[in-house]
Coordinates of all heavy atoms in Angstrom, one line a residue:
M78 N 2.9 1.1 -7.4 CA 3.4 2.5 -7.5 C 3.0 3.1 -8.9 O 2.6 4.2 -9.0 CB 4.9 2.5 -7.3 CG 5.3 2.2 -5.9 SD 4.9 3.5 -4.7 CE 5.9 4.9 -5.4
A79 N 3.2 2.3 -9.9 CA 2.8 2.7 -11.3 C 1.4 3.1 -11.4 O 1.0 4.1 -12.0 CB 3.3 1.7 -12.3
W80 N 0.5 2.2 -10.8 CA -0.9 2.5 -10.8 C -1.2 3.8 -10.1 O -1.9 4.7 -10.6 CB -1.7 1.4 -10.1 CG -3.1 1.8 -9.7 CD1 -4.2 2.1 -10.6 CD2 -3.6 2.1 -8.4 NE1 -5.2 2.5 -9.8 CE2 -4.9 2.6 -8.5 CE3 -2.9 2.1 -7.2 CZ2 -5.6 2.9 -7.4 CZ3 -3.7 2.5 -6.0 CH2 -5.0 2.9 -6.2
Y81 N -0.7 4.0 -8.9 CA -1.0 5.2 -8.1 C -0.5 6.4 -8.8 O -1.2 7.5 -8.8 CB -0.4 5.1 -6.7 CG -0.9 6.2 -5.8 CD1 -2.1 6.1 -5.1 CD2 -0.2 7.4 -5.6 CE1 -2.6 7.1 -4.3 CE2 -0.6 8.4 -4.8 CZ -1.8 8.2 -4.2 OH -2.3 9.2 -3.4
G82 N 0.6 6.4 -9.4 CA 1.2 7.5 -10.1 C 0.7 7.7 -11.5 O 1.0 8.7 -12.2
S83 N -0.1 6.8 -12.0 CA -0.6 6.9 -13.4 C -1.5 8.1 -13.6 O -2.2 8.6 -12.8 CB -1.4 5.6 -13.8 OG -2.6 5.6 -13.2
A84 N -1.4 8.6 -14.9 CA -2.3 9.8 -15.2 C -3.7 9.5 -15.0 O -4.5 10.3 -14.6 CB -2.0 10.2 -16.7
D85 N -4.2 8.2 -15.4 CA -5.6 7.9 -15.2 C -6.0 7.9 -13.8 O -7.1 8.4 -13.5 CB -5.8 6.5 -15.8 CG -5.8 6.5 -17.4 OD1 -5.9 7.5 -18.0 OD2 -5.6 5.4 -17.9
Y86 N -5.2 7.3 -12.9 CA -5.6 7.4 -11.5 C -5.5 8.8 -10.9 O -6.4 9.2 -10.2 CB -4.8 6.4 -10.6 CG -5.4 6.3 -9.2 CD1 -6.7 5.9 -9.0 CD2 -4.7 6.9 -8.1 CE1 -7.3 5.9 -7.7 CE2 -5.2 6.9 -6.9 CZ -6.5 6.4 -6.7 OH -7.1 6.4 -5.4
Q87 N -4.4 9.5 -11.2 CA -4.3 10.8 -10.7 C -5.4 11.7 -11.1 O -5.8 12.7 -10.4 CB -2.9 11.4 -11.1 CG -1.8 10.8 -10.4 CD -1.8 11.0 -8.9 OE1 -1.9 12.1 -8.4 NE2 -1.7 9.9 -8.1
A88 N -6.0 11.5 -12.3 CA -7.1 12.3 -12.8 C -8.4 12.1 -11.9 O -9.2 13.0 -11.8 CB -7.4 11.9 -14.3
I89 N -8.6 10.9 -11.4 CA -9.8 10.7 -10.5 C -9.5 10.8 -9.0 O -10.5 11.0 -8.3 CB -10.5 9.3 -10.8 CG1 -9.6 8.2 -10.4 CG2 -10.8 9.2 -12.3 CD1 -10.4 6.8 -10.4
L90 N -8.3 10.8 -8.6 CA -7.9 10.9 -7.2 C -8.6 12.1 -6.5 O -9.1 11.9 -5.4 CB -6.4 10.9 -7.0 CG -5.9 10.9 -5.6 CD1 -6.4 9.8 -4.8 CD2 -4.4 10.9 -5.6
P91 N -8.6 13.3 -7.1 CA -9.2 14.4 -6.3 C -10.7 14.1 -6.0 O -11.2 14.7 -5.0 CB -9.1 15.6 -7.3 CG -7.9 15.2 -8.1 CD -8.0 13.7 -8.3
L92 N -11.4 13.3 -6.8 CA -12.8 13.0 -6.4 C -12.9 12.3 -5.1 O -13.8 12.5 -4.3 CB -13.4 12.1 -7.5 CG -13.4 12.6 -8.9 CD1 -13.9 11.5 -9.9 CD2 -14.3 13.9 -9.0
R93 N -11.9 11.4 -4.7 CA -11.9 10.8 -3.4 C -11.3 11.8 -2.4 O -11.9 11.9 -1.3 CB -11.1 9.5 -3.4 CG -11.0 8.9 -2.0 CD -10.3 7.5 -2.0 NE -8.9 7.6 -2.4 CZ -7.9 8.1 -1.7 NH1 -8.1 8.6 -0.5 NH2 -6.7 8.1 -2.2
L94 N -10.2 12.4 -2.7 CA -9.6 13.3 -1.7 C -10.5 14.4 -1.2 O -10.5 14.8 -0.1 CB -8.3 13.9 -2.3 CG -7.2 12.9 -2.5 CD1 -6.0 13.6 -3.2 CD2 -6.7 12.2 -1.2
N95 N -11.3 14.9 -2.1 CA -12.2 16.0 -1.8 C -13.5 15.6 -1.1 O -14.2 16.4 -0.6 CB -12.6 16.8 -3.1 CG -11.4 17.5 -3.7 OD1 -10.5 17.9 -3.0 ND2 -11.5 17.7 -5.0
N96 N -13.7 14.3 -0.9 CA -14.9 13.8 -0.4 C -14.7 12.7 0.7 O -15.6 12.0 1.0 CB -15.8 13.2 -1.5 CG -16.3 14.3 -2.4 OD1 -17.2 15.0 -2.1 ND2 -15.6 14.5 -3.5
S97 N -13.5 12.6 1.3 CA -13.2 11.7 2.3 C -12.0 12.1 3.0 O -11.2 12.8 2.5 CB -13.1 10.3 1.8 OG -12.0 10.1 1.0
D98 N -11.8 11.5 4.2 CA -10.6 11.6 5.0 C -10.0 10.2 5.0 O -10.7 9.2 5.0 CB -10.8 12.1 6.4 CG -11.5 13.4 6.5 OD1 -11.1 14.3 5.8 OD2 -12.4 13.6 7.3
G99 N -8.7 10.1 5.1 CA -8.2 8.8 5.1 C -6.7 8.7 5.1 O -6.0 9.7 4.9
D100 N -6.2 7.5 5.2 CA -4.8 7.2 5.1 C -4.6 6.1 4.1 O -5.4 5.1 4.0 CB -4.3 6.6 6.5 CG -4.6 7.6 7.6 OD1 -4.0 8.8 7.5 OD2 -5.3 7.3 8.5
V101 N -3.6 6.2 3.3 CA -3.3 5.2 2.2 C -1.9 4.8 2.3 O -1.0 5.7 2.4 CB -3.7 5.7 0.8 CG1 -3.3 4.7 -0.3 CG2 -5.2 6.1 0.8
I102 N -1.6 3.5 2.2 CA -0.2 3.0 2.2 C -0.1 1.9 1.1 O -1.1 1.3 0.7 CB 0.2 2.4 3.6 CG1 -0.7 1.2 3.9 CG2 0.1 3.4 4.7 CD1 -0.2 0.3 5.1
L103 N 1.2 1.7 0.7 CA 1.5 0.5 -0.1 C 2.4 -0.3 0.8 O 3.3 0.2 1.5 CB 2.3 1.0 -1.3 CG 1.5 1.7 -2.4 CD1 2.5 2.1 -3.5 CD2 0.3 1.0 -2.9
I104 N 2.2 -1.6 0.8 CA 2.9 -2.5 1.6 C 3.1 -3.9 0.9 O 2.2 -4.3 0.2 CB 2.3 -2.7 3.0 CG1 3.2 -3.4 4.0 CG2 0.9 -3.4 2.9 CD1 2.9 -3.2 5.4
D105 N 4.3 -4.4 1.1 CA 4.6 -5.7 0.5 C 4.0 -6.8 1.3 O 3.9 -6.7 2.6 CB 6.1 -6.0 0.3 CG 6.7 -5.0 -0.7 OD1 6.1 -4.7 -1.7 OD2 7.9 -4.6 -0.4
G106 N 3.5 -7.9 0.7 CA 3.1 -9.1 1.4 C 4.2 -9.9 1.7 O 5.4 -9.5 1.6
V107 N 3.9 -11.1 2.2 CA 5.0 -12.1 2.6 C 4.8 -13.3 1.7 O 3.8 -13.5 1.1 CB 4.9 -12.5 4.1 CG1 5.1 -11.2 5.0 CG2 3.5 -13.1 4.4
S108 N 5.9 -14.1 1.7 CA 5.8 -15.4 0.9 C 4.9 -16.4 1.6 O 4.5 -16.2 2.7 CB 7.2 -16.0 0.9 OG 7.7 -16.4 2.2
E109 N 4.4 -17.3 0.8 CA 3.5 -18.3 1.3 C 4.0 -19.1 2.4 O 3.3 -19.6 3.3 CB 3.0 -19.2 0.1 CG 2.1 -18.5 -0.9 CD 1.6 -19.5 -1.9 OE1 1.4 -20.7 -1.6 OE2 1.3 -19.0 -3.0
D110 N 5.3 -19.3 2.5 CA 5.9 -20.1 3.6 C 6.4 -19.2 4.8 O 7.1 -19.7 5.7 CB 7.1 -20.9 3.1 CG 8.2 -20.1 2.5 OD1 8.0 -18.9 2.2 OD2 9.3 -20.7 2.3
H111 N 6.0 -18.0 4.8 CA 6.4 -17.1 5.9 C 5.9 -17.6 7.3 O 4.7 -18.0 7.4 CB 5.8 -15.7 5.6 CG 6.1 -14.7 6.7 ND1 7.3 -14.0 6.7 CD2 5.4 -14.3 7.8 CE1 7.3 -13.2 7.8 NE2 6.2 -13.4 8.5
K112 N 6.7 -17.5 8.2 CA 6.4 -17.8 9.6 C 6.6 -16.5 10.5 O 7.4 -15.7 10.1 CB 7.3 -18.9 10.2 CG 7.3 -20.2 9.4 CD 6.1 -20.9 9.6 CE 6.1 -22.3 8.9 NZ 5.3 -22.4 7.8
S113 N 5.9 -16.4 11.5 CA 6.0 -15.2 12.3 C 7.4 -14.9 12.8 O 7.8 -13.8 12.9 CB 5.0 -15.3 13.5 OG 5.4 -16.4 14.4
T114 N 8.2 -16.0 13.1 CA 9.5 -15.8 13.6 C 10.5 -15.2 12.5 O 11.6 -14.8 12.8 CB 10.1 -17.1 14.2 OG1 9.9 -18.1 13.2 CG2 9.3 -17.5 15.4
D115 N 10.1 -15.3 11.2 CA 10.9 -14.7 10.2 C 11.2 -13.3 10.4 O 12.3 -12.8 10.0 CB 10.3 -14.9 8.8 CG 10.2 -16.4 8.4 OD1 10.8 -17.2 9.0 OD2 9.4 -16.7 7.4
I116 N 10.3 -12.6 11.0 CA 10.5 -11.1 11.3 C 11.6 -10.9 12.3 O 12.3 -9.9 12.2 CB 9.2 -10.5 11.7 CG1 9.3 -8.9 11.6 CG2 8.8 -10.8 13.1 CD1 9.3 -8.4 10.2
L117 N 11.9 -11.9 13.1 CA 13.0 -11.7 14.1 C 14.3 -11.6 13.4 O 15.2 -10.8 13.9 CB 13.0 -12.9 15.1 CG 11.7 -13.0 16.0 CD1 11.8 -14.3 16.8 CD2 11.6 -11.8 16.8
D118 N 14.6 -12.4 12.4 CA 15.8 -12.3 11.6 C 16.0 -10.8 11.1 O 17.1 -10.3 11.2 CB 15.9 -13.3 10.5 CG 15.9 -14.7 11.0 OD1 16.4 -14.9 12.1 OD2 15.5 -15.6 10.2
A119 N 15.0 -10.3 10.6 CA 15.1 -8.9 10.0 C 15.3 -7.9 11.1 O 16.1 -6.9 11.0 CB 13.8 -8.6 9.3
M120 N 14.7 -8.1 12.3 CA 14.8 -7.2 13.4 C 16.3 -7.2 14.0 O 16.8 -6.2 14.3 CB 13.8 -7.5 14.5 CG 12.4 -7.2 14.0 SD 11.2 -7.9 15.2 CE 11.2 -6.6 16.4
V121 N 16.8 -8.4 14.1 CA 18.1 -8.6 14.7 C 19.2 -8.1 13.7 O 20.2 -7.5 14.2 CB 18.4 -10.1 15.0 CG1 19.8 -10.4 15.4 CG2 17.4 -10.6 16.1

């Protein structure tokens, strides 16, 4: 978040925005021991 909001990145961001279409997200990864069923606990 700090990178994306930084003055240095915001200064060059229009160069991409004016010359492409796209979607950008920030997302957290999972721990090294993550199992697919771990998501069930969060859902329940």
Side-chain angles (χ1 to χ4, degrees):
M78 291 289 296
W80 162 74
Y81 190 84
S83 71
D85 288 339
Y86 185 66
Q87 290 297 307
I89 69 168
L90 181 57
L92 300 174
R93 179 178 59 75
L94 293 175
N95 294 335
N96 292 282
S97 67
D98 299 318
D100 305 298
V101 177
I102 63 168
L103 293 179
I104 193 160
D105 293 325
V107 296
S108 64
E109 288 187 28
D110 62 344
H111 178 85
K112 303 286 186 250
S113 63
T114 54
D115 293 346
I116 196 73
L117 295 175
D118 293 333
M120 294 169 82
V121 171

